[in-house]
Amino acid sequence: MRIISRNINTVNAFSKLEKQVTNSAKQRKAIDPSEFSAKLHDIGETYVSSNNLTNFNRISSRLAENLVSLGEGSLAGAVYSLLIKLNQKNTEALEKFATNALAIAKRFHDPIHIMARANDLKEIYKVTQPNSDKHLKTLQTEKRALKEICENYTKVQGRFHTIKRAMKPVEGYELKLAAIRYEIAQILKDSNKQLAMEELEKADAIMQKHDKGGLYKKIQRLLEELKK
């Protein structure tokens, strides 16, 4: 990856990139997502090293909103992905950016990124609001995205575009789906035993196709607990 000097004029660098990408989007010119992401990453790291992340958050959020309005949901998602990466220690900012990114992924019917952004939010609520409605809602969102990926893997793979990596084999998403169903059951076990059992039974059906490791054992233990 090309490295930008820390002495770079970050304001000018960002303004130049913003102008280039928005003009290309307006003119419906192809934009190389990998090149865009690399440039934005370098600029973002320079803002961080100069203790100016707050300003980068502000101008990058504005860029993401503009890209969405221009129909460039994938690029907007890349902006928010970087903001999520850079703001891991700022829970308030992290929640805001993950929520915005999730809305974009939903708008563009992108189950891979719906899953990823719902997972970001789930990890936040697991700590800040465990077992809350928000926690459960994000788990349900992640479950629906994973279910769509597993049931329509080839179709999703055909329209999946990401900057750095390809989709995992379908088995990986199946195991994630089983794990999410287990997490949902844990939250529901006291308030809605029947729904918790249904989630666990579906998780168990998935695990029957795979090696029966730690997750399988957890599912079996909770099933036995709820059957008493």
Side-chain angles (χ1 to χ4, degrees):
M1 181 181 292
R2 182 174 57 83
I3 303 299
I4 293 180
S5 167
R6 290 188 178 185
N7 296 322
I8 191 172
N9 186 322
T10 52
V11 175
N12 287 344
F14 185 88
S15 295
K16 182 179 179 181
L17 179 61
E18 182 177 34
K19 184 176 181 180
Q20 288 175 341
V21 74
T22 52
N23 283 345
S24 293
K26 288 175 182 177
Q27 296 169 27
R28 297 292 183 263
K29 291 182 179 178
I31 301 166
D32 184 334
S34 182
E35 182 180 351
F36 167 72
S37 180
K39 287 180 179 179
L40 187 66
H41 177 274
D42 288 343
I43 294 169
E45 290 292 347
T46 307
Y47 270 89
V48 171
S49 67
S50 61
N51 252 352
N52 204 7
L53 178 57
T54 300
N55 194 38
F56 184 72
N57 288 346
R58 178 181 60 80
I59 59 179
S60 295
S61 296
R62 179 192 67 204
L63 173 59
E65 291 170 8
N66 288 340
L67 288 170
V68 170
S69 69
L70 292 168
E72 293 288 349
S74 180
L75 295 181
V79 175
Y80 279 122
S81 290
L82 177 58
L83 288 173
I84 289 167
K85 177 183 176 182
L86 295 179
N87 285 275
Q88 288 298 310
K89 295 180 181 179
N90 185 340
T91 302
E92 184 178 348
L94 197 59
E95 181 181 1
K96 175 186 174 183
F97 296 140
T99 299
N100 289 350
L102 177 59
I104 292 171
K106 286 181 175 180
R107 176 173 175 175
F108 290 92
H109 310 292
D110 181 349
I112 293 292
H113 288 98
I114 290 173
M115 172 200 70
R117 300 293 77 86
N119 186 71
D120 289 330
L121 287 169
K122 174 196 73 178
E123 292 301 321
I124 293 170
Y125 298 140
K126 212 195 257 189
V127 175
T128 62
Q129 302 180 52
N131 302 331
S132 65
D133 287 342
K134 278 188 174 182
H135 186 188
L136 181 59
K137 184 178 179 180
T138 54
L139 282 166
Q140 296 282 13
T141 298
E142 189 172 0
K143 181 186 78 173
R144 286 191 293 272
L146 282 163
K147 191 168 179 288
E148 181 177 352
I149 294 166
C150 294
E151 292 177 352
N152 302 288
Y153 181 79
T154 302
K155 182 179 178 182
V156 172
Q157 188 177 42
R159 60 188 176 87
F160 174 66
H161 299 286
T162 193
I163 292 167
K164 295 182 179 177
R165 56 186 179 272
M167 283 178 63
K168 297 176 182 178
V170 66
E171 292 80 11
Y173 298 105
E174 289 174 346
L175 289 170
K176 280 181 178 287
L177 178 56
I180 291 299
R181 288 192 181 280
Y182 171 73
E183 289 186 54
I184 291 171
Q186 283 184 304
I187 294 177
L188 293 176
K189 64 180 182 179
D190 295 323
S191 62
N192 197 324
K193 185 176 178 179
Q194 183 58 41
L195 275 180
M197 288 282 289
E198 289 176 13
E199 293 291 353
L200 288 170
E201 287 167 356
K202 289 175 181 177
D204 179 57
I206 293 171
M207 296 306 298
Q208 294 300 326
K209 302 192 304 180
H210 301 282
D211 291 336
K212 298 178 176 63
L215 176 59
Y216 174 79
K217 292 175 182 177
K218 288 180 181 179
I219 292 168
Q220 296 306 311
R221 281 198 296 267
L222 190 51
L223 270 171
E224 289 302 317
E225 178 185 329
L226 294 180
K227 286 177 180 177
K228 292 177 181 177

